[in-house]
Short mmCIF file of all heavy atoms in Angstrom, two decimals:
data_model
loop_
_atom_site.label_atom_id
_atom_site.label_comp_id
_atom_site.label_asym_id
_atom_site.label_seq_id
_atom_site.Cartn_x
_atom_site.Cartn_y
_atom_site.Cartn_z
N GLU A 92 141.59 26.18 -135.03
CA GLU A 92 140.27 26.69 -135.40
C GLU A 92 140.09 26.64 -136.93
O GLU A 92 141.00 27.00 -137.67
CB GLU A 92 140.15 28.14 -134.87
CG GLU A 92 138.86 28.84 -135.21
CD GLU A 92 139.01 29.78 -136.38
OE1 GLU A 92 139.96 30.56 -136.42
OE2 GLU A 92 138.17 29.67 -137.29
N PRO A 93 138.97 26.06 -137.38
CA PRO A 93 137.70 25.81 -136.68
C PRO A 93 137.55 24.42 -136.05
O PRO A 93 136.45 24.02 -135.71
CB PRO A 93 136.68 25.96 -137.82
CG PRO A 93 137.40 25.43 -139.02
CD PRO A 93 138.84 25.87 -138.84
N ILE A 94 138.64 23.67 -135.90
CA ILE A 94 138.54 22.35 -135.27
C ILE A 94 139.49 22.27 -134.09
O ILE A 94 140.35 23.13 -133.89
CB ILE A 94 138.85 21.21 -136.27
CG1 ILE A 94 140.33 21.27 -136.70
CG2 ILE A 94 137.92 21.24 -137.46
CD1 ILE A 94 140.79 20.05 -137.49
N ALA A 95 139.33 21.22 -133.31
CA ALA A 95 140.28 20.86 -132.25
C ALA A 95 140.50 19.36 -132.36
O ALA A 95 139.56 18.61 -132.67
CB ALA A 95 139.74 21.22 -130.87
N ILE A 96 141.73 18.92 -132.16
CA ILE A 96 142.06 17.50 -132.27
C ILE A 96 142.54 17.02 -130.91
O ILE A 96 143.47 17.58 -130.33
CB ILE A 96 143.14 17.25 -133.33
CG1 ILE A 96 142.64 17.70 -134.70
CG2 ILE A 96 143.51 15.76 -133.38
CD1 ILE A 96 143.69 17.62 -135.79
N ILE A 97 141.91 15.98 -130.42
CA ILE A 97 142.31 15.40 -129.14
C ILE A 97 142.26 13.88 -129.26
O ILE A 97 141.32 13.32 -129.85
CB ILE A 97 141.41 15.91 -127.99
CG1 ILE A 97 141.98 15.51 -126.63
CG2 ILE A 97 139.96 15.47 -128.15
CD1 ILE A 97 141.42 16.33 -125.48
N ASN A 98 143.29 13.21 -128.79
CA ASN A 98 143.43 11.75 -128.97
C ASN A 98 143.34 11.37 -130.45
O ASN A 98 142.78 10.34 -130.80
CB ASN A 98 142.36 11.00 -128.18
CG ASN A 98 142.59 11.04 -126.69
OD1 ASN A 98 143.50 11.70 -126.22
ND2 ASN A 98 141.76 10.36 -125.94
N ASP A 99 143.87 12.24 -131.31
CA ASP A 99 143.85 12.02 -132.77
C ASP A 99 142.46 12.09 -133.36
O ASP A 99 142.26 11.68 -134.51
CB ASP A 99 144.50 10.68 -133.14
CG ASP A 99 146.00 10.68 -132.93
OD1 ASP A 99 146.59 11.79 -132.87
OD2 ASP A 99 146.60 9.60 -132.83
N ILE A 100 141.49 12.58 -132.64
CA ILE A 100 140.11 12.67 -133.12
C ILE A 100 139.72 14.14 -133.26
O ILE A 100 139.87 14.90 -132.31
CB ILE A 100 139.14 11.95 -132.18
CG1 ILE A 100 139.51 10.46 -132.10
CG2 ILE A 100 137.69 12.12 -132.63
CD1 ILE A 100 138.73 9.69 -131.05
N PRO A 101 139.24 14.57 -134.44
CA PRO A 101 138.89 15.98 -134.64
C PRO A 101 137.45 16.28 -134.23
O PRO A 101 136.55 15.48 -134.44
CB PRO A 101 139.07 16.16 -136.15
CG PRO A 101 138.69 14.83 -136.71
CD PRO A 101 139.12 13.79 -135.69
N PHE A 102 137.27 17.47 -133.66
CA PHE A 102 135.93 17.97 -133.35
C PHE A 102 135.80 19.39 -133.88
O PHE A 102 136.74 20.18 -133.78
CB PHE A 102 135.69 17.97 -131.83
CG PHE A 102 135.67 16.60 -131.21
CD1 PHE A 102 136.83 16.05 -130.69
CD2 PHE A 102 134.51 15.86 -131.16
CE1 PHE A 102 136.83 14.78 -130.13
CE2 PHE A 102 134.49 14.59 -130.61
CZ PHE A 102 135.65 14.04 -130.09
N LEU A 103 134.65 19.71 -134.43
CA LEU A 103 134.38 21.07 -134.86
C LEU A 103 134.06 21.91 -133.63
O LEU A 103 133.18 21.55 -132.85
CB LEU A 103 133.19 21.09 -135.83
CG LEU A 103 132.89 22.42 -136.52
CD1 LEU A 103 134.04 22.85 -137.41
CD2 LEU A 103 131.60 22.31 -137.33
N VAL A 104 134.78 23.01 -133.44
CA VAL A 104 134.57 23.84 -132.25
C VAL A 104 134.10 25.25 -132.62
O VAL A 104 133.98 26.10 -131.75
CB VAL A 104 135.85 23.93 -131.40
CG1 VAL A 104 136.19 22.57 -130.79
CG2 VAL A 104 137.03 24.47 -132.22
N THR A 105 133.84 25.48 -133.89
CA THR A 105 133.40 26.80 -134.36
C THR A 105 132.11 26.67 -135.14
O THR A 105 132.04 25.90 -136.09
CB THR A 105 134.48 27.45 -135.25
OG1 THR A 105 135.70 27.52 -134.53
CG2 THR A 105 134.06 28.84 -135.68
N MET A 106 131.09 27.42 -134.72
CA MET A 106 129.79 27.35 -135.39
C MET A 106 129.72 28.21 -136.65
O MET A 106 129.03 27.87 -137.60
CB MET A 106 128.69 27.80 -134.43
CG MET A 106 128.29 26.78 -133.40
SD MET A 106 126.74 27.29 -132.62
CE MET A 106 126.59 26.04 -131.35
N GLY A 107 130.41 29.34 -136.64
CA GLY A 107 130.33 30.24 -137.78
C GLY A 107 131.24 31.44 -137.57
O GLY A 107 132.05 31.47 -136.64
N TYR A 108 131.09 32.45 -138.43
CA TYR A 108 131.97 33.61 -138.41
C TYR A 108 131.17 34.88 -138.64
O TYR A 108 130.16 34.88 -139.35
CB TYR A 108 133.05 33.50 -139.49
CG TYR A 108 134.02 32.37 -139.26
CD1 TYR A 108 133.70 31.07 -139.63
CD2 TYR A 108 135.26 32.60 -138.68
CE1 TYR A 108 134.60 30.03 -139.42
CE2 TYR A 108 136.17 31.57 -138.46
CZ TYR A 108 135.83 30.29 -138.84
OH TYR A 108 136.70 29.26 -138.62
N ASP A 109 131.66 35.97 -138.05
CA ASP A 109 131.09 37.29 -138.26
C ASP A 109 132.08 38.08 -139.10
O ASP A 109 133.19 38.36 -138.66
CB ASP A 109 130.85 37.97 -136.91
CG ASP A 109 130.16 39.31 -137.06
OD1 ASP A 109 129.70 39.61 -138.18
OD2 ASP A 109 130.10 40.07 -136.07
N ILE A 110 131.70 38.42 -140.33
CA ILE A 110 132.63 39.10 -141.23
C ILE A 110 131.90 40.19 -142.00
O ILE A 110 130.73 40.04 -142.38
CB ILE A 110 133.28 38.09 -142.21
CG1 ILE A 110 134.39 38.77 -143.02
CG2 ILE A 110 132.24 37.44 -143.11
CD1 ILE A 110 135.25 37.80 -143.80
N ALA A 111 132.60 41.31 -142.20
CA ALA A 111 132.01 42.43 -142.92
C ALA A 111 132.42 42.41 -144.39
O ALA A 111 131.68 42.89 -145.25
CB ALA A 111 132.43 43.74 -142.27
N GLY A 112 133.60 41.89 -144.69
CA GLY A 112 134.09 41.87 -146.06
C GLY A 112 133.92 40.51 -146.72
O GLY A 112 133.03 39.73 -146.38
N LYS A 113 134.80 40.20 -147.64
CA LYS A 113 134.75 38.95 -148.39
C LYS A 113 135.69 37.93 -147.74
O LYS A 113 136.88 38.21 -147.55
CB LYS A 113 135.17 39.18 -149.84
CG LYS A 113 135.05 37.94 -150.71
CD LYS A 113 135.44 38.26 -152.14
CE LYS A 113 135.34 37.00 -153.01
NZ LYS A 113 135.73 37.28 -154.41
N PRO A 114 135.18 36.74 -147.39
CA PRO A 114 136.04 35.74 -146.75
C PRO A 114 137.01 35.10 -147.74
O PRO A 114 136.76 35.07 -148.95
CB PRO A 114 135.04 34.71 -146.23
CG PRO A 114 133.88 34.83 -147.16
CD PRO A 114 133.79 36.28 -147.53
#
Side-chain angles (χ1 to χ4, degrees):
E92 178 260 313
I94 66 170
I96 298 175
I97 191 162
N98 289 5
D99 289 340
I100 298 172
F102 295 93
L103 187 64
V104 293
T105 304
M106 283 194 185
Y108 294 82
D109 184 11
I110 188 169
K113 184 178 179 180

